[in-house]
Amino acid sequence: MELKHYIIRRILLLIPTLIGVTLLIFAVIQLFSPVERAALYIRDPRQAKDLPGIIKKYHLDEPVYVQYYYWLREVLKGNLGYSKSVNMPVFDAILNFFPATIELVLYSAPLIVLLGIKLGVLAAIHKDKAADHLTRVSSIIGWSLPSFWLGILLLAIFYGQLGMFPPERLGTEASVYVNSPNFIRYTKINTIDALLNGQLWIFIDALKHLVLPVASLTIQIVALIVRIMRSSMLEALNRGYVLAARAKGLEEHDVIYKHARKNALIPVFTVTGILLAGMLTGVIITETVFNYKGIGYWAAHAATQLDIPAVLGFALLAGVIFVFTNLIVDILYAYIDPRVRLG
Amino acid sequence: MWFRLGIRRFKREAEPTIRELKFSLNRIKSSPLSIVGIAIILFFVAIAILAPLLAPPPKGWRDPYMIPHEGWDPTPKPPSAEHPFGTTQHQYDIYYGCIWGTRTALYVGFVVVGTGVLISIVIGSIAGYYGGVIDEALMRFTDIIFAFPTLVLAMALVTAFGPSLESVIKALILVSWPSYARVIRGEVLSVKQNDYIEAAKSIGCSDFRVIVRHVLPNSIFPLLIMASLDIGAIVLTEAALSFLGLGPPIGFADWGQMIAFSRNWIVGPPGDPYKYWYTYIIPGLFIFTFVLGWNLLGDAFRDILDPTLRRR
Amino acid sequence: MAPTDKFIPVLASEVPTVENGLISSDGLTYTFPIRKGVKFQNGEPLTPEDVEYSFKRAMVQDRDGGPVWMFLEPLLGVYSTRDEEGNIVVPFEKIDKAVEVDGDNVIFHLKMPYPPFLQILCQSWSSIVCKKWCIEHGDWPGTAETYPKYNNPEVPPLQEIAMGTGPFKLERWEHGVEYSLVRNDDYWRGPAKIKRVIVKKIDEWSTRKLMFQAGDVDICYVPRLYMKEVENLPGIINVKNLPELMVSALFFTFEIDPTSPHIWSGKLDGDGIPPDFFKDKDVRLGFAYSFDWETFIRDAWAGEAVQRPTPVIEGLPYFNPDQKGYYLDLKKAEEHFKKAWNGELWDKGFKMTLLYNIGNEYRRISAEIWKRNIESLNEKFFIYIRGVEWPLFLKDMVASKLPAFRVGWIADYPDPHNFVHPFMHSEGAFAAWQHYKNPHVDELIEEGIKTIDPDKRREIYYELQKIYVEDCPSVITVQPLGRRWFRDWIQGWYHNPIYPGFYFYDLWKGY
């Protein structure tokens, strides 16, 4: 089918998937009894007397489909509940913490993609030789290490011992300036805002604080990507057209970089999906370790306090982001590879 | 006479399978990394089986999975005669925790993957074999689960179930079966087209028999590869959940928990920053080696069993 | 620096006493001359009307779970402006009459003589706000008609903003992240030496420690667990063994809700406990003799806590240093368990679940100590320990579903009434959840708060301490000793046990 039709079809499919995502989250909420769900709104013993009132107010004891309607209505209005671990509504928390994570992802993603692809290709080309083994073992190490290990060790060395790269997002002086009326926070992404405000020193300060979290996140996710890239490259190298190219006498270099890699890049789009999943998961622990106040930090903090609205809010957000990104990836995929849309 | 006939017939029919098996074994033998992987796994299985001998619980101790500790002194102690790997904060014996934690890891890994595979075989083969609306519906459902990164969904589920080892296992099963189901479905779809399936159906084989005897045996290999790779991933996710406080109760023999205990001791006093190395290096090594073993095994399976890579 | 055991006049220009006539001889009238020349941070002058408004506003608001009961009791003789169902039962006239302005003074009319009244007025809930500013920002207009509307609001109008006469202004508050205070240069006592205070939430201990070591953090909260690592670092001062007015205990629930899952079978059949399990005093005493205070203090508190026999702890008036309590004696514990329930308990055994709130290591450790010691006495005794999140713990505690619960209490004001009431009065916070009722105790407590004569009060509170140990409605674990940690360039700090946090006005940085 034509690309246009494929795109329309995929976009239409989006709606039931999104509904499905909300249904799943709603189903998880339903695991609690009305009283337990009401209890999640109280903070002080004396308010506990009012549980029946809370149940009435949030329609918590009505039939399931009625509850779903009210719940979904609230969600679409932006009301995802109250995150007691940070004392603000969940929606506000998301708006508040998201820009920090975006900044982190902004700097990590290009590094991860470049390194991941490069190393994966390297390992595939030199299969079963030293470079391959080295890359594979390093990637397994990077993947098997508990994430906070890496983060804290990096902190201990580069902050504790060498004093070079501090945790958090900004130093004290920069933080005070950023929050003063002299500084306009257009995007809440510090590096961008600093440039827009013409304050170079803040730009540098923010970058300094980004080094370690970006390094930690990159190492973790590159490990994941290398193996995917390697196996997809291996597959590509064994395809018929590669043999044919070799038989024709083309130089190995051309075979790899002109033919195999281009086709191996298709799975790179799949890699983007994994990258995103890795990010959404990776930031949870990385941001916690570096006290970097993004949504990962918020989710982890909420989990330890069993702040259910927050954890579910985060899951819902992750789900929605994923669904949309997959849509874009699928469309790009279809654009590049006609076989896909013929479906 | 009938008996001897049976055996000879069996040998004849099984000959290609046996030949393939021998070929596989040879390939395994010639790949050093595969052997390393298998050795590692066997090593851990041995530890798990011998746990009561290697790390006997103290007399009168009620639950062997709760790590014994003398008192609650908050500072970890370095390795010594009574505590070969040292102790964590609150004096949990690291040696005991790592040994019995092996059981927990294997238990979690096998139960989650095993149950996930079983569920996925049922659902995936139904979806692939019958196709149509059933397939669409089931695949949409798996799509929804795929819409969430694993850890995030697992976090939400465990938070809802209430933190405990059982919750973690339940959550991980719920989160993993979709990917296996997809694979089975894909395999079933491709095998379904084959002539011998048509043939079997035409002589009146029931659907169930067709699926079990013809479709499944040919689709299972990719699943085996995924499953063995996943056992490592499952244990890592479980460790992450423990770290977030969403795992078994405090003091339970679980690698994730041992790492969680070490969290605040990674940076020691300024003069001796690696003072408490044993709290995180040792459990970390256990996790890492375990995951490495399964990874090597999984990679080996793939290199060996994948028909396109098999004979080079 | 000021002494911490004397009242200082701040916004009042004199501290009322009987001698200077500002407290009437019957103890029912307190007169406060209000200081002149003080300005709010928005420039408005402080007037007696602002003081009157501040207290009336607090009583009008009387939010659920709030602190206003502390002056509702002395001023109106009630604990709340509402009844069980949430309907307002206190008419506005009563609130109106309790506080009045007379020229430059503000006069309080008490319902009964109340020894701790002045202490209650020293804490944050007695802060003075600017009437004009509050009304401008949507708070109670000050009239009788609007009283019901502003009573017990969902979200109080002044939730996110603050403005007063103090030495610091609230500059910014990022929920869950940090807040910053900036100096009020027009403060009437002279501006503070420190320009800005930023309070940050850094959950990851390693990160916090590294920042403290690097000097990026001046004052730091160090959990007891990690104390030893930070103890001898250069440039870091720690002050220890600071007396704190707080206490913790294990409370027994006398009438457990029969639907509680934590009592298992709900019967004395070895598979659970009956709802009135703890009504049998031998059971309570069995628990009391099973607690290992020494190990608890040594390991969980690093030695920095003191065992106390009753809720009237050291530092409170009428603390009885000679009162004896319980101690670890497993033989005695065994005896009591054998006697309990006519010997049935020992034969059949029991099962119960002890909950603690996640994150609180002290409570977890103390629960484990009880579990270990009691389980070691009899194979058929089973105590399961479970950690749950605070709201669920709270919910079960308030519904009397927890067979026993571990919580603590921090002083609101330094008077024994603030401790005996929640622990022992049948309508007090804890005793109510426990369904503990001793009419004689109730009488004594009600008498004690009305009595001004110190000798008579001493008698009453000594008697209460004695009864507490005899009745054993709960077992006190410890009164902790505090520690403070800061960099050595922080000067001017002194300990005030009743003031939560740091009093930044007196601090400065330098050598």
Side-chain angles (χ1 to χ4, degrees):
Chain A
M1 62 178 93
E2 268 202 59
L3 186 64
K4 239 192 325 201
H5 293 156
Y6 182 78
I7 294 181
I8 294 176
R9 182 159 176 265
R10 275 300 274 116
I11 293 183
L12 284 178
L13 266 181
L14 190 71
I15 300 172
T17 317
L18 280 177
I19 294 187
V21 163
T22 60
L23 272 175
L24 188 61
I25 299 287
F26 180 70
V28 173
I29 296 179
Q30 290 304 104
L31 288 171
F32 297 97
S33 70
V35 177
E36 286 177 307
R37 277 178 277 149
L40 298 175
Y41 292 99
I42 64 172
R43 255 177 287 168
D44 185 283
R46 285 169 260 221
Q47 286 175 301
K49 288 183 286 175
D50 193 39
L51 286 178
I54 300 181
I55 294 180
K56 273 262 148 357
K57 178 164 172 204
Y58 294 102
H59 301 273
L60 297 178
D61 55 352
E62 307 205 23
V64 177
Y65 47 90
V66 174
Q67 286 190 54
Y68 179 62
Y69 167 72
Y70 281 113
W71 178 79
L72 192 60
R73 200 177 69 165
E74 292 297 303
V75 167
L76 291 171
K77 273 199 274 180
N79 180 2
L80 288 154
Y82 194 81
S83 170
K84 64 172 163 51
S85 58
V86 288
N87 262 316
M88 64 176 94
V90 169
F91 189 71
D92 291 7
I94 293 177
L95 286 179
N96 202 346
F97 292 110
F98 210 8
T101 308
I102 294 182
E103 186 167 28
L104 196 53
V105 169
L106 207 62
Y107 291 94
S108 319
L111 267 179
I112 293 175
V113 172
L114 282 170
L115 270 177
I117 295 182
K118 198 88 213 210
L119 288 175
V121 168
L122 204 72
I125 298 175
H126 300 283
K127 182 175 189 309
D128 287 333
K129 289 198 235 132
D132 179 28
H133 290 311
L134 196 63
T135 316
R136 281 177 66 198
V137 174
S138 318
S139 87
I140 294 181
I141 293 181
W143 185 61
S144 328
L145 283 179
S147 28
F148 59 89
W149 242 35
L150 189 61
I152 297 187
L153 275 175
L154 284 175
L155 249 191
I157 301 174
F158 291 98
Y159 177 59
Q161 264 187 303
L162 301 172
M164 285 165 59
F165 302 115
E168 304 202 302
R169 295 185 74 194
L170 290 171
T172 314
E173 261 202 74
S175 179
V176 169
Y177 192 87
V178 160
N179 287 299
S180 71
N182 301 330
F183 189 90
I184 308 179
R185 304 191 83 179
Y186 298 101
T187 60
K188 287 210 167 166
I189 296 177
N190 293 335
T191 43
I192 297 181
D193 285 343
L195 290 175
L196 289 175
N197 272 276
Q199 299 291 342
L200 200 60
W201 63 284
I202 294 188
F203 177 73
I204 297 183
D205 190 64
L207 272 187
K208 251 200 324 189
H209 284 81
L210 277 168
V211 172
L212 290 185
V214 166
S216 173
L217 208 53
T218 306
I219 297 178
Q220 284 174 59
I221 303 182
V222 163
L224 265 178
I225 300 207
V226 162
R227 34 197 2 243
I228 310 270
M229 200 51 212
R230 174 185 178 267
S231 57
S232 91
M233 190 66 185
L234 276 177
E235 240 177 274
L237 281 176
N238 285 323
R239 284 286 166 72
Y241 59 86
V242 171
L243 282 175
R246 284 202 181 110
K248 279 206 287 192
L250 282 174
E251 280 204 33
E252 191 67 9
H253 182 268
D254 280 344
V255 172
I256 295 172
Y257 288 95
K258 281 226 183 95
H259 295 275
R261 194 172 76 165
K262 224 182 347 170
N263 283 296
L265 275 182
I266 292 172
V268 164
F269 291 114
T270 328
V271 156
T272 314
I274 300 180
L275 180 102
L276 203 61
M279 288 284 193
L280 286 164
T281 310
V283 293
I284 296 176
I285 296 194
T286 307
E287 287 182 5
T288 307
V289 167
F290 293 97
N291 204 45
Y292 188 91
K293 305 276 165 84
I295 47 173
Y297 162 83
W298 169 60
H301 186 58
T304 48
Q305 305 225 348
L306 288 171
D307 177 1
I308 311 230
V311 174
L312 292 179
F314 178 70
L316 188 59
L317 177 72
V320 169
I321 293 180
F322 226 41
V323 167
F324 275 101
T325 326
N326 281 331
L327 175 74
I328 298 179
V329 165
D330 279 352
I331 292 180
L332 282 174
Y333 211 147
Y335 177 68
I336 294 189
D337 185 352
R339 290 176 298 170
V340 171
R341 16 188 160 116
L342 292 175
Chain B
M1 160 99 164
W2 175 91
F3 185 61
R4 273 228 312 266
L5 216 63
I7 291 195
R8 211 180 306 160
R9 177 146 168 228
F10 176 74
K11 269 173 79 181
R12 200 181 345 125
E13 280 195 357
E15 206 200 309
T17 318
I18 295 181
R19 194 170 13 127
E20 287 300 302
L21 218 62
K22 280 207 184 129
F23 182 76
S24 303
L25 280 172
N26 270 322
R27 289 222 60 192
I28 291 179
K29 276 196 240 162
S30 60
S31 163
L33 282 180
S34 324
I35 301 194
V36 171
I38 296 180
I40 293 179
I41 307 295
L42 287 176
F43 172 65
F44 280 111
V45 171
I47 292 184
I49 297 179
L50 296 172
L53 286 173
L54 294 170
K59 197 162 157 334
W61 192 252
R62 289 191 190 184
D63 183 357
Y65 282 93
M66 295 302 281
I67 310 176
H69 61 105
E70 292 141 19
W72 282 266
D73 189 332
T75 315
K77 304 265 173 294
S80 63
E82 307 142 46
H83 301 288
F85 289 164
T87 60
T88 66
Q89 63 187 38
H90 297 309
Q91 302 313 300
Y92 293 101
D93 184 41
I94 298 181
Y95 173 75
Y96 190 96
C98 287
I99 301 282
W100 286 82
T102 311
R103 282 200 171 187
T104 312
L106 284 169
Y107 175 69
V108 171
F110 279 113
V111 169
V112 171
V113 170
T115 319
V117 163
L118 279 173
I119 297 178
S120 67
I121 287 182
V122 171
I123 297 191
S125 37
I126 292 178
Y129 192 74
Y130 291 110
V133 181
I134 301 181
D135 182 28
E136 272 297 308
L138 284 172
M139 287 307 107
R140 286 303 130 240
F141 184 56
T142 58
D143 269 346
I144 295 173
I145 302 203
F146 284 145
F148 298 91
T150 315
L151 183 64
V152 174
L153 189 55
M155 261 170 69
L157 288 170
V158 176
T159 316
F161 292 144
S164 73
L165 193 62
E166 293 74 38
S167 305
V168 170
I169 293 181
K170 273 196 283 195
L172 290 177
I173 293 177
L174 287 173
V175 163
S176 356
W177 71 261
S179 22
Y180 305 145
R182 271 292 169 104
V183 170
I184 289 276
R185 170 195 177 260
E187 292 296 314
V188 168
L189 272 179
S190 58
V191 162
K192 195 166 73 154
Q193 321 287 17
N194 284 329
D195 291 339
Y196 61 86
I197 302 289
E198 286 291 319
K201 284 209 280 200
S202 67
I203 56 172
C205 281
S206 75
D207 286 341
F208 180 71
R209 195 180 161 80
V210 172
I211 295 179
V212 170
R213 280 219 65 203
H214 298 283
V215 175
L216 281 183
N218 291 300
S219 352
I220 258 210
F221 291 133
L223 204 60
L224 275 182
I225 299 172
M226 272 189 85
S228 44
L229 286 176
D230 258 359
I231 293 191
I234 299 279
V235 170
L236 274 180
T237 310
E238 192 267 339
L241 288 170
S242 268
F243 174 75
L244 290 172
L246 295 172
I250 297 187
F252 191 88
D254 168 60
W255 291 340
Q257 239 202 49
M258 313 248 33
I259 295 277
F261 280 147
S262 76
R263 175 186 190 165
N264 290 308
W265 304 95
I266 298 183
V267 182
D272 191 5
Y274 306 110
K275 185 171 180 185
Y276 303 107
W277 62 274
Y278 45 92
T279 58
Y280 52 94
I281 299 270
I282 298 180
L285 275 177
F286 269 77
I287 296 184
F288 166 66
T289 320
F290 186 80
V291 174
L292 184 69
W294 286 103
N295 266 307
L296 291 177
L297 197 66
D299 277 354
F301 274 155
R302 191 198 316 115
D303 285 349
I304 291 167
L305 295 171
D306 185 343
T308 60
L309 297 175
R310 200 168 157 74
R311 291 182 152 83
R312 289 278 314 272
Chain C
M1 195 199 304
T4 59
D5 60 348
K6 298 220 178 331
F7 291 112
I8 308 179
V10 179
L11 291 181
S13 50
E14 250 188 284
V15 176
T17 61
V18 175
E19 284 76 35
N20 63 16
L22 293 174
I23 303 185
S24 64
S25 50
D26 61 2
L28 295 177
T29 313
Y30 284 68
T31 307
F32 290 87
I34 302 303
R35 190 180 295 276
K36 299 218 217 308
V38 177
K39 289 221 175 73
F40 281 100
Q41 285 156 5
N42 65 350
E44 292 285 325
L46 169 71
T47 65
E49 280 75 28
D50 292 310
V51 177
E52 181 195 18
Y53 175 81
S54 303
F55 286 93
K56 288 195 180 153
R57 169 193 169 271
M59 288 192 278
V60 157
Q61 190 183 93
D62 186 22
R63 196 152 166 248
D64 249 345
V68 180
W69 59 272
M70 274 185 262
F71 30 89
L72 284 176
E73 196 187 8
L75 293 174
L76 303 178
V78 296
Y79 291 120
S80 171
T81 49
R82 297 178 295 283
D83 66 5
E84 290 277 308
E85 275 89 57
N87 307 311
I88 298 180
V89 292
V90 172
F92 185 71
E93 296 74 54
K94 288 223 164 92
I95 295 181
D96 205 24
K97 290 216 188 75
V99 189
E100 61 168 336
V101 173
D102 177 29
D104 292 331
N105 302 333
V106 173
I107 305 182
F108 288 85
H109 297 285
L110 274 62
K111 197 78 192 290
M112 59 181 118
Y114 206 81
F117 188 63
L118 280 181
Q119 287 147 327
I120 295 178
L121 294 185
C122 289
Q123 295 277 47
S124 62
W125 37 78
S126 305
S127 297
I128 306 301
V129 290
C130 175
K131 178 172 180 178
K132 185 152 169 261
W133 182 87
C134 287
I135 300 180
E136 267 168 24
H137 285 86
D139 207 337
W140 178 56
T143 61
E145 303 78 49
T146 47
Y147 164 38
K149 179 158 175 250
Y150 287 87
N151 182 273
N152 196 17
E154 260 282 316
V155 181
L158 300 188
Q159 177 84 316
E160 305 285 323
I161 46 181
M163 203 278 297
T165 59
F168 287 94
K169 302 189 226 192
L170 178 65
E171 183 180 37
R172 175 172 57 96
W173 180 18
E174 252 187 273
H175 288 264
V177 175
E178 62 181 44
Y179 64 89
S180 73
L181 306 170
V182 79
R183 174 172 62 205
N184 172 11
D185 292 313
D186 299 317
Y187 184 52
W188 62 274
R189 274 199 279 173
K193 297 197 192 77
I194 291 187
K195 176 152 196 277
R196 181 179 271 108
V197 178
I198 305 179
V199 179
K200 289 193 210 215
K201 197 165 184 302
I202 305 175
D203 294 309
E204 191 66 34
W205 163 244
S206 298
T207 312
R208 193 156 93 236
K209 179 171 82 157
L210 287 171
M211 289 178 76
F212 193 37
Q213 273 171 231
D216 283 334
V217 156
D218 298 305
I219 300 176
C220 181
Y221 166 64
V222 176
R224 230 162 268 274
L225 200 42
Y226 311 114
M227 248 169 31
K228 294 223 172 62
E229 303 167 59
V230 206
E231 221 158 22
N232 298 314
L233 293 180
I236 293 185
I237 298 195
N238 77 89
V239 194
K240 49 180 160 175
N241 293 331
L242 299 168
E244 305 269 23
L245 285 174
M246 49 173 109
V247 74
S248 291
L250 177 74
F251 296 84
F252 303 115
T253 307
F254 287 64
E255 285 165 30
I256 308 171
D257 184 320
T259 63
S260 165
H262 315 300
I263 56 175
W264 294 77
S265 67
K267 301 205 240 319
L268 192 61
D269 55 2
D271 227 5
I273 53 172
D276 54 354
F277 188 57
F278 287 104
K279 273 209 172 128
D280 185 325
K281 187 148 153 209
D282 281 307
V283 174
R284 305 201 295 277
L285 292 180
F287 271 76
Y289 283 111
S290 304
F291 191 66
D292 186 348
W293 273 271
E294 227 188 276
T295 305
F296 184 56
I297 294 178
R298 183 196 66 211
D299 287 344
W301 287 93
E304 294 175 6
V306 185
Q307 175 180 359
R308 294 284 174 219
T310 77
V312 181
I313 51 183
E314 184 169 5
L316 294 175
Y318 318 120
F319 159 67
N320 183 349
D322 301 318
Q323 175 69 50
K324 296 258 172 294
Y326 297 101
Y327 46 90
L328 178 67
D329 188 334
L330 288 178
K331 285 236 167 4
K332 279 220 173 96
E334 200 177 309
E335 268 172 44
H336 283 291
F337 279 127
K338 285 197 169 133
K339 277 198 271 181
W341 293 93
N342 295 320
E344 262 188 72
L345 179 64
W346 191 259
D347 283 330
K348 302 225 181 93
F350 73 87
K351 262 195 192 148
M352 68 177 250
T353 308
L354 255 188
L355 262 56
Y356 68 92
N357 54 307
I358 292 187
N360 194 316
E361 283 301 281
Y362 306 121
R363 291 183 192 166
R364 179 181 73 84
I365 294 179
S366 63
E368 287 197 16
I369 293 181
W370 258 299
K371 172 192 162 83
R372 241 224 226 157
N373 289 343
I374 294 183
E375 282 186 352
S376 71
L377 294 174
N378 182 328
E379 272 184 352
K380 300 189 225 153
F381 287 178
F382 291 90
I383 299 184
Y384 298 103
I385 312 271
R386 248 188 80 199
V388 290
E389 66 273 25
W390 180 239
L392 287 185
F393 180 85
L394 210 56
K395 177 192 75 124
D396 277 2
M397 179 171 69
V398 166
S400 301
K401 286 203 175 141
L402 299 180
F405 50 94
R406 278 272 292 118
V407 280
W409 181 262
I410 301 186
D412 294 309
Y413 50 87
D415 187 280
H417 181 69
N418 188 239
F419 281 77
V420 297
H421 189 269
F423 278 74
M424 298 173 75
H425 191 287
S426 59
E427 284 174 37
F430 302 128
W433 299 331
Q434 291 175 279
H435 295 287
Y436 167 71
K437 200 181 173 95
N438 183 332
H440 179 49
V441 163
D442 284 1
E443 263 173 42
L444 280 176
I445 294 180
E446 282 155 29
E447 187 60 38
I449 190 59
K450 288 197 275 220
T451 311
I452 308 244
D453 180 324
D455 291 318
K456 284 228 185 71
R457 284 198 95 202
R458 169 171 294 118
E459 256 181 58
I460 295 177
Y461 291 106
Y462 271 44
E463 174 74 17
L464 280 168
Q465 289 173 71
K466 187 152 130 324
I467 299 181
Y468 178 83
V469 175
E470 277 167 15
D471 258 1
C472 194
S474 42
V475 180
I476 303 279
T477 49
V478 290
Q479 173 181 10
L481 294 168
R483 275 219 193 199
R484 299 285 182 276
W485 301 78
F486 38 87
R487 297 301 313 244
D488 60 358
W489 53 67
I490 298 289
Q491 313 284 348
W493 179 83
Y494 58 91
H495 184 52
N496 186 344
I498 198 64
Y499 189 80
F502 280 79
Y503 195 64
F504 299 112
Y505 183 59
D506 289 322
L507 300 179
W508 78 91
K509 282 168 89 152
Y511 284 111

